[in-house]
Amino acid sequence: MNTPLIRFFGSIQFAVPLLASIVAILIGATIYESQVGSTVVQHLIYKSPWFGILMFLLAVNLFISALTRYPWRGFRKAGFALTHIGLVLIIVGSAGVIHLSLEGMLPLREDLAGNNQIRVEGDLLEVMTPEGETEQRDIFIRPDGSISPSSVLGLSLLGYAENTVKTVHFKEGGATDNVALKVRLTSARMSQEVEQWLGFAPLPYRRVSLGPAELVLTVVESEEAAQEKVATLADTSEGNYFQAIATSSGKLYYATHSSQGFQSGILKLNEPIALGWADFEITLEEQLTHAQIDRQIVPVGDRTVQGTPAILVKTETGTQTWLPWGEPTTIPVPDGEILAAFTPKLFSLPFQVALQDFIVERNEGSDSVAMWTSKIQIQDPHQHISSDRTVWMNHPTWYQGWKIAQASWNPGDLRQSTLQVKREPLWITLLTWTGSALVVVGIGTMFYGKAIHKSLTHYPSPVINLGEN
């Protein structure tokens, strides 16, 4: 214990810069967490090897500092040792909480059966090759969009987009006759431009609603049938619509109606047609005769557009594909198809939780929320147990070591509630509480031990009255 190296690791000269570094890191981590979220900070800082080394060195410093004062005679030395050993136990327990505990969110609805799938921190990528080989890996998405690991079972992970939308296009190459038209609507006055595909198949693309107006595609056998269709529309027109009429020979007609009346004619490529809806014009940009549908995932930077997170992957042959979150995707390769899924990380509880009722209490005379409560039922078929519990803010319930607490709720749907479910090994809890108790006892011993001992062991001298002679 008297070697220079050991004395240095237990010295105040080592402790001060180490503590200053840890405090600075914790302050920075708190600020960074407000910007990127707890998942990123947990992965990059609290669960990182370098932060673990710093905390280990702090524990070593505290432990050696306590041992160098052995034997612990006197209240100050004993209290000093108890406090330092308690801090070491707290550090060890905190490391156990970070690396060994399990925590997740459990969404529940009153109109659904019990749920045992909790959403835990992190995401998964599962890949299956054409040969049937499968691999499932935890993936971490950095703030810059890069992904760790960089590849999974031959798929290179190129990047991440927080917001993507599905776009539908048509392309030539279908096995059967299938007319598809790409049109563009523009309004100079409103500075708007909309690209839209119409297709005879699948059925939903024959008629597309654009607010109060509709775009329609009709296919007929001959030009005579097309002209009859136009004449029928002219006699019965109402509302705002644009209808394209395609013949089997590939010739296109159109009919459109608005508050300004009805008009029709031959639909030609790249020739704008005034629709009569404000100053909107429609232009045919592409015509396909053997169209097949082509769905694509496209990243969008506009945060007002509600989309889905996705990761970009590349096969060994160079094919790039976006994998939307929660949706299995097939990727064609020369020898078959790769099945890949970018999904949330889930954990199955050994029991189910069902939401019986969700109650929102409001302050008297106002709509402000005072309290919200989840009445749940824990269903454990293995133990043949069905237990009704009530959970509200700061009042969790426990079952077989699992802590179940109220996490959040949806003001727009009072049949829904989200619970936080957490479990950590019992020895970690005992270690942390023991360390906390030792710190309290140690501080009390250092500062008040001598005075308390003196008050308990000091007895006043008896007064002897000998009386008067």
Side-chain angles (χ1 to χ4, degrees):
M1 292 297 295
N2 292 322
T3 65
L5 182 61
I6 291 179
R7 286 200 302 270
F8 171 73
F9 277 116
S11 67
I12 191 70
Q13 291 82 3
F14 179 68
V16 169
L18 180 61
L19 278 171
S21 300
I22 293 174
V23 169
I25 290 169
L26 293 177
I27 293 173
T30 302
I31 297 172
Y32 191 44
E33 184 174 353
S34 66
Q35 300 171 351
V36 300
S38 61
T39 301
V40 173
V41 173
Q42 286 281 342
H43 186 89
L44 293 181
I45 299 178
Y46 300 134
K47 293 184 178 181
S48 65
W50 60 266
F51 187 77
I53 291 172
L54 288 178
M55 297 306 296
F56 173 75
L57 291 175
L58 179 59
V60 168
N61 174 264
L62 292 169
F63 186 69
I64 294 177
S65 180
L67 288 183
T68 55
R69 285 160 175 78
Y70 184 82
W72 302 314
R73 295 191 181 97
F75 292 103
R76 294 192 67 84
K77 284 190 175 181
F80 182 89
L82 288 173
T83 302
H84 281 59
I85 293 173
L87 290 172
V88 171
L89 294 181
I90 291 174
I91 291 173
V92 175
S94 299
V97 169
I98 291 174
H99 295 283
L100 300 178
S101 65
L102 181 66
E103 179 180 339
M105 295 298 174
L106 179 66
L108 300 174
R109 286 186 60 87
E110 291 180 16
D111 53 353
L112 295 179
N115 185 15
N116 73 331
Q117 298 289 314
I118 62 173
R119 169 75 164 96
V120 298
E121 179 183 291
D123 297 291
L124 293 175
L125 178 63
E126 186 171 4
V127 180
M128 184 172 69
T129 65
E131 295 78 21
E133 183 181 359
T134 62
E135 183 176 354
Q136 187 181 77
R137 294 283 298 275
D138 289 349
I139 62 173
F140 171 68
I141 300 166
R142 301 185 182 91
D144 62 358
S146 60
I147 304 173
S148 176
S150 59
S151 65
V152 176
L153 205 61
L155 276 184
S156 299
L157 312 186
L158 303 182
Y160 169 81
E162 186 176 354
N163 200 25
T164 65
V165 294
K166 272 186 180 181
T167 61
V168 176
H169 298 267
F170 286 86
K171 61 182 180 180
E172 200 71 79
T176 60
D177 292 343
N178 185 30
V179 177
L181 306 177
K182 178 184 175 182
V183 297
R184 184 176 299 275
L185 287 88
T186 56
S187 170
R189 187 188 308 167
M190 300 181 184
S191 300
Q192 289 187 356
E193 188 172 292
V194 178
E195 179 186 290
Q196 181 64 54
W197 277 94
L198 295 172
F200 187 71
L203 184 62
Y205 293 94
R206 295 185 193 178
R207 183 182 298 268
V208 177
S209 295
L210 298 175
E214 282 190 330
L215 304 180
V216 183
L217 173 62
T218 302
V219 177
V220 296
E221 287 295 326
S222 63
E223 294 186 24
E224 291 78 10
Q227 293 170 1
E228 290 177 4
K229 179 67 175 178
V230 170
T232 302
L233 290 172
D235 293 336
T236 60
S237 288
E238 59 181 19
N240 296 324
Y241 68 83
F242 173 86
Q243 185 162 166
I245 305 164
T247 67
S248 57
S249 63
K251 192 168 184 179
L252 297 176
Y253 294 83
Y254 76 89
T256 181
H257 185 267
S258 68
S259 59
Q260 299 182 16
F262 176 85
Q263 62 173 317
S264 62
I266 298 175
L267 182 59
K268 299 179 181 179
L269 284 170
N270 302 319
E271 290 190 5
I273 299 171
L275 295 171
W277 316 335
D279 68 331
F280 273 98
E281 292 184 338
I282 190 168
T283 304
L284 175 64
E285 293 192 336
E286 193 172 350
Q287 177 183 357
L288 306 177
T289 57
H290 293 77
Q292 60 181 3
I293 199 164
D294 180 27
R295 293 182 174 89
Q296 296 181 354
I297 305 295
V298 179
V300 291
D302 187 356
R303 293 185 178 273
T304 62
V305 177
Q306 186 174 2
T308 304
I311 60 174
L312 181 62
V313 300
K314 184 174 73 172
T315 65
E316 293 177 343
T317 57
T319 302
Q320 294 189 10
T321 304
W322 284 98
L323 305 181
W325 192 76
E327 183 178 330
T329 304
T330 56
I331 306 171
V333 291
D335 53 349
E337 288 183 335
I338 294 175
L339 179 63
F342 169 42
T343 62
K345 191 175 180 180
L346 301 175
F347 179 84
S348 298
L349 297 171
F351 55 89
Q352 291 189 339
V353 181
L355 181 63
Q356 303 292 321
D357 192 14
F358 183 73
I359 303 169
V360 177
E361 300 177 17
R362 303 186 184 274
N363 293 315
E364 187 176 354
S366 71
D367 290 333
S368 61
V369 176
M371 180 66 66
W372 56 90
T373 303
S374 295
K375 292 188 175 182
I376 62 174
Q377 184 179 77
I378 297 175
Q379 304 163 349
D380 190 341
H382 305 290
Q383 303 293 331
H384 304 288
I385 292 175
S386 180
S387 176
D388 293 334
R389 307 287 180 90
T390 301
V391 178
W392 66 97
M393 291 301 297
N394 300 321
H395 288 79
T397 188
W398 297 80
Y399 182 74
Q400 292 188 352
W402 292 90
K403 177 184 176 183
I404 305 172
Q406 183 70 56
S408 62
W409 62 294
N410 183 0
D413 187 355
L414 297 184
R415 296 182 300 172
Q416 177 181 332
S417 178
T418 301
L419 305 180
Q420 181 192 55
V421 183
K422 183 176 182 179
R423 185 178 188 180
E424 59 189 40
L426 180 61
W427 65 268
I428 292 178
T429 304
L430 293 176
L431 203 64
T432 305
W433 281 97
T434 301
S436 301
L438 288 178
V439 169
V440 173
V441 172
I443 293 175
T445 302
M446 276 194 297
F447 292 100
Y448 306 106
K450 187 175 181 179
I452 294 174
H453 180 265
K454 186 176 180 179
S455 66
L456 293 176
T457 58
H458 176 70
Y459 298 98
S461 300
V463 177
I464 301 175
N465 187 1
L466 299 178
E468 296 181 358
N469 293 329

